[in-house]
Amino acid sequence: RRIYDRLIDRIIVQTDFVRDLFVQQGFDPARLVVKPNFMYPISGAVERPGTGFVFTGRLDVTKGIRTLLEAAHLIDAPISVFGGGSLEAEVRAAADRLPHVTFHGLQPHAVVIEALRGARAVVIPSEWYESFPMTFVEAMALGKPVIASDLGSLGSLVRADETGLLVPPGDPGALAGALRRLHDDDALACQMGDQALRYYHGHLTPEANYTQLKAVYSQVLG
């Protein structure tokens, strides 16, 4: 904090939740600015409403992959898992037992994007704080609802019943219920997908981000 107080005019954070964490640790609220992540538009057609659910990320306890696998025992909907990590053997074994779970391991980013393009929704069941996961941005850019844990930044990034669904972290039954709800309702999946794409165009494009960044520099220079 001493270094920041002496040298830094503004600290950019991605969400109000992260900003509040900094304030709780004694950082000056006036020096903290919220600016989200962004990405360039993804070209090509998108499946509507899409088929199945995609998890992509590190395979460890904090990412909620065990909870997703437990939820997979309660539903019969296609689930694709991308990533690597300490629980890879556990995920592979679960995929061998459950015919509707497919484990792809680590794949090039372009392969993951194609899987997201054809998905019904993206699952982010994290059980520890996220700041602003790029998987969320990719889902919004592709017009895909997000099913996420109501925890940390995710609780404010996902607009419940608009751009996706929120569930308590570490609750396989609630997660299975959310998966089932979107799996069984084509109209709801399409409606949430439309809202997700609108959210992307309003908040997460390069143009929107550049406007926000210029405003930060203008405040400092002013």
Side-chain angles (χ1 to χ4, degrees), residues 89-140:
E90 193 173 317
V91 175
R92 192 182 301 276
D96 289 341
R97 291 192 305 271
L98 298 169
H100 58 286
V101 176
T102 305
F103 177 55
H104 299 272
L106 287 170
Q107 295 290 334
H109 185 246
V111 173
V112 177
I113 289 295
E114 287 308 304
L116 296 176
R117 188 191 303 277
R120 174 155 298 211
V122 177
V123 188
I124 311 178
S126 301
E127 295 175 23
W128 189 242
Y129 296 149
E130 302 276 1
S131 55
F132 205 114
M134 285 305 296
T135 303
F136 169 81
V137 185
E138 290 164 350
M140 297 295 103

Side-chain angles (χ1 to χ4, degrees), residues 50-203:
T51 305
F53 302 92
V54 172
F55 168 98
T56 175
R58 194 170 66 253
L59 303 180
D60 67 29
V61 174
T62 65
K63 294 297 185 179
I65 184 62
R66 276 183 174 156
T67 300
L68 178 59
L69 294 178
E70 290 178 40
H73 283 86
L74 305 175
I75 61 169
D76 187 19
I79 299 173
S80 295
V81 178
F82 292 83
S86 60
L87 299 182
E88 184 171 333
E90 193 173 317
V91 175
R92 192 182 301 276
D96 289 341
R97 291 192 305 271
L98 298 169
H100 58 286
V101 176
T102 305
F103 177 55
H104 299 272
L106 287 170
Q107 295 290 334
H109 185 246
V111 173
V112 177
I113 289 295
E114 287 308 304
L116 296 176
R117 188 191 303 277
R120 174 155 298 211
V122 177
V123 188
I124 311 178
S126 301
E127 295 175 23
W128 189 242
Y129 296 149
E130 302 276 1
S131 55
F132 205 114
M134 285 305 296
T135 303
F136 169 81
V137 185
E138 290 164 350
M140 297 295 103
L142 287 165
K144 299 295 178 178
V146 171
I147 299 173
S149 299
D150 191 2
L151 175 73
S153 294
L154 290 172
S156 60
L157 289 176
V158 178
R159 298 182 174 181
D161 294 318
E162 293 183 19
T163 61
L165 300 171
L166 290 170
V167 298
D171 188 333
L175 181 55
L179 293 167
R180 188 179 298 110
R181 184 179 171 192
L182 277 181
H183 179 261
D184 293 345
D185 194 333
D186 289 354
L188 180 64
C190 289
Q191 176 186 327
M192 287 186 173
D194 290 342
Q195 293 279 4
L197 193 58
R198 274 195 284 271
Y199 182 83
Y200 167 76
H201 284 297
H203 302 278

